[in-house]
Amino acid sequence: MTMMISWHNRNIARWSTIPISLQSLPSRTKTSTGIRIWILIFTSFFDLANQRVRVSIMMEKADSVQKLYTRMRLWEFPDQFVIEPTDGSSGSSLTVSRVDGSMKLIDEVPECSSLRVPKIYTIFGVVGMLRLLAGSYLLVITERESVGSYLGHPIFKISSLKVFPCDNSLRSTPAEQKKIEMEFSSLLRVAEKSSGLFFSYETNLTLSAQRLNDLGDESRLLPLWRQAEPRFLWNNYILEVLIDNKLEPFLLPVVQGSFHHYQAAIGKDIIDVTLIARRCTRRNVALVYGSPFGTRMWRRGADPDGYVANFVETEQIMQFNGYTASFVQVRGSIPLLWQQIVDLTYKPKFELLKLEEAPRVLERHFLDLRKKYGAVLAIDLVNKHGGEGRLCEKFGATAQHVASNDVRYLHFDFHHVCGHVHFERLSILYEQISDFMERNGYLLLNEKGEKMKEQLGVVRTNCIDCLDRTNVTQSMIGRNMLEYQLRRLGVFGAEETISSHPNLDERFKILWANHGDDISVQYSGTPALKGDFVRFGHRTVQGIVQDGCNALLRYYYNNFRDGTKQDAIDLLQGHYIVSVSRDTAATSQKGGLEAIASFPLAFALVLTGFVFATMSLRQVRYDFRHFFFSLMWAGISVGIAAFVRANGRVFCNRPRLHNPR
């Protein structure tokens, strides 16, 4: 016997019905049937009341979460900055002291003085606040660009960052400390030029579609900064001041990486493909080792905890007729302790460090990957011979200690197999990994957002820089996975490929080429090499020439620009915490060759010497003494050049905040 009980649930605005089965009651009970019915009715309503309370609490929490301000007005007063929401929100304004950087909320913007009209800026978000020795520095978004949507939510790219100093207290600061403050604050001008920064006011960009889908109801109601994955949160450190002041509507999470998408027609069907990359900004507490996050030559290998340089999570999302498919790959430097310190040579030597620590570091790295992604297939693309060969040999040998059913190492000598033009031979590699791809799959959600399939493992790809060879390989894997997904949904036939659809093929190539350029610019300063193959499907003369130019530019940045850029990154990410006693002492201890070494000066002296040597040589026919002057000037030039070459590391633009290991 079954009874139906109905009641109106105001929380979800509909009638709910619950069946009550008398057979569910214990058969041995001695109570009458009527009493048993009333007991069961009472118990059912008690459960419904609990459910109603839970729903009510969830709705109250959702209402209590303040939305992020999307547009604000920044008022620049002599003694403070005031940030006023102008997007229709009814929230309070934020005032920031220009003396000590202290913050508080106010109800109204102060009245303007008739003698000095404040400057007014339109801003689109507060990125954070950085405190140095004496002053604090407010970072805000002054220009943004809409770049598309991520799972239905608008995504913006930061076009312009601006730093507003809150350093009025410097007027009463000792001269030496003021000098140090100015040196540190000058690094923020480099930070203003940071590229590839993205944000959303509505969704959490730090999590992949699969991790977003796995979030519980409680987590979904948290503010975006609380949901964020710390390792992909670019402004994690500089948000701390705002978090301490509980400024929820101003706490805007920012990621660094890449975001591109396109739509393409396949017959009558429209598919939407998105490619999003998230750069890891992992902060390491062991300051003597710095951080894995940074520029090309100054951040190599792994730190003692197994976190590697240039670690990037790349997610390829395909949406079609309400279905959503997501596939995640990762890249990262060879997970050993190694370095490659610039010394004016085109390709500095690779140096392996603390070889006895290699198994422990590698084990920690793969343990972290397994915990976050499941099974791991590590594809190593470096050369088998030469300088890269030592790294390859050590990586392969050490990987044997951690190899298991969930961890697999595979070496593929990219240059030996593919050369510089035959990248289509990467199909050989895919044949070796196809079983892993089919077994570990991808995320697939149906029209209702229900999980039909999940990704159980990840492919980890590396070369030396994790840029050029890596991007070509990842684009090949992404292409095969997209074809596999389209076959699963019935869009493609059994033998159909992306190449069968020129429009889709062209857009897919451009998508991955732009993605590779973005990551390369952030890590090396130039677009990716071999990008013409990704973009056009074959190597071109123009692409080869462009690669040569980019290689020379990388040499220039490595040797003469990236040290300062690395300092700016370390400062902004909290990898280096400014200290009065330490930084004052470090400044006073500078001396010797490092204090006077200047490559531009040395280059000018060498050039001057050769000019005088040439001029003297031309005068030899009139006076033989000029021959000896010519030899003298040539000797001076050669001597200076040899001295600079022998001390190349000193003459390069090196990071000052963290010395290489």
Side-chain angles (χ1 to χ4, degrees), residues 294-583:
T295 55
R296 180 172 172 244
M297 287 293 183
W298 298 111
R299 289 296 180 267
R300 294 296 215 188
D303 67 9
D305 292 322
Y307 304 129
V308 295
N310 202 24
F311 185 88
V312 182
E313 177 184 279
T314 299
E315 181 181 16
Q316 180 178 285
I317 300 173
M318 185 273 295
Q319 293 174 295
F320 166 75
N321 281 357
Y323 286 86
T324 299
S326 164
F327 175 65
V328 171
Q329 303 182 68
V330 297
R331 67 176 73 185
S333 189
I334 295 176
L336 302 172
L337 298 175
W338 63 281
Q339 65 183 7
Q340 194 179 12
I341 299 180
V342 296
D343 56 2
L344 297 181
T345 59
Y346 179 73
K347 194 170 184 179
K349 294 180 180 179
F350 303 104
E351 298 180 27
L352 281 161
L353 308 168
K354 298 187 177 181
L355 296 179
E356 70 281 359
E357 294 287 314
R360 184 182 61 83
V361 171
L362 201 69
E363 184 177 5
R364 287 190 175 187
H365 176 70
F366 281 109
L367 183 64
D368 182 61
L369 290 182
R370 287 176 58 195
K371 184 167 63 174
K372 290 181 171 60
Y373 300 102
V376 181
L377 170 60
I379 301 178
D380 184 13
L381 301 173
V382 301
N383 298 340
K384 194 80 172 179
H385 306 287
E388 295 183 10
R390 292 181 57 227
L391 289 175
C392 171
E393 181 181 357
K394 187 62 178 178
F395 186 13
T398 310
Q400 301 304 316
H401 296 285
V402 298
S404 66
N405 293 333
D406 293 333
V407 177
R408 176 183 164 195
Y409 169 85
L410 174 64
H411 177 257
F412 182 82
D413 194 329
F414 185 99
H415 285 151
H416 177 72
V417 177
C418 301
H420 294 285
V421 293
H422 297 293
F423 297 163
E424 70 281 355
R425 293 176 182 170
L426 280 172
S427 58
I428 299 172
L429 171 62
Y430 193 78
E431 291 174 1
Q432 300 177 47
I433 67 173
S434 58
D435 59 331
F436 181 90
M437 305 299 297
E438 294 174 8
R439 185 169 61 253
N440 293 284
Y442 53 91
L443 171 74
L444 182 62
L445 305 176
N446 63 16
E447 305 98 317
K448 300 178 181 178
E450 299 168 339
K451 186 187 295 183
M452 301 175 61
K453 184 180 178 63
E454 66 178 330
Q455 186 171 344
L456 303 174
V458 71
V459 176
R460 180 202 190 278
T461 311
N462 75 266
C463 47
I464 289 297
D465 297 329
C466 304
L467 296 178
D468 312 317
R469 288 172 276 184
T470 293
N471 201 63
V472 173
T473 303
Q474 285 196 335
S475 69
M476 176 273 295
I477 296 173
R479 170 182 286 260
N480 281 276
M481 184 53 69
L482 180 57
E483 291 173 346
Y484 188 78
Q485 293 165 352
L486 292 173
R487 292 189 191 104
R488 167 71 182 268
L489 296 178
V491 182
F492 275 4
E495 302 299 325
E496 203 168 358
T497 65
I498 292 176
S499 301
S500 308
H501 303 270
N503 182 44
L504 175 61
D505 187 37
E506 179 184 2
R507 289 175 176 268
F508 184 85
K509 290 172 181 175
I510 293 173
L511 182 83
W512 271 94
N514 291 339
H515 160 79
D517 287 345
D518 288 347
I519 301 302
S520 182
V521 166
Q522 293 161 29
Y523 190 52
S524 72
T526 75
L529 309 185
K530 305 176 178 67
D532 54 335
F533 177 82
V534 180
R535 196 176 299 274
F536 305 113
H538 58 86
R539 296 241 61 181
T540 64
V541 174
Q542 182 181 357
I544 293 173
V545 172
Q546 186 64 46
D547 282 358
C549 295
N550 286 336
L552 292 176
L553 270 177
R554 286 184 181 183
Y555 172 82
Y556 169 73
Y557 289 136
N558 294 340
N559 287 276
F560 307 116
R561 294 280 296 277
D562 281 354
T564 300
K565 183 179 177 181
Q566 184 64 55
D567 283 340
I569 291 172
D570 287 336
L571 195 64
L572 204 61
Q573 296 294 323
H575 304 148
Y576 183 88
I577 308 299
V578 178
S579 164
V580 175
S581 58
R582 177 184 57 195
D583 291 307

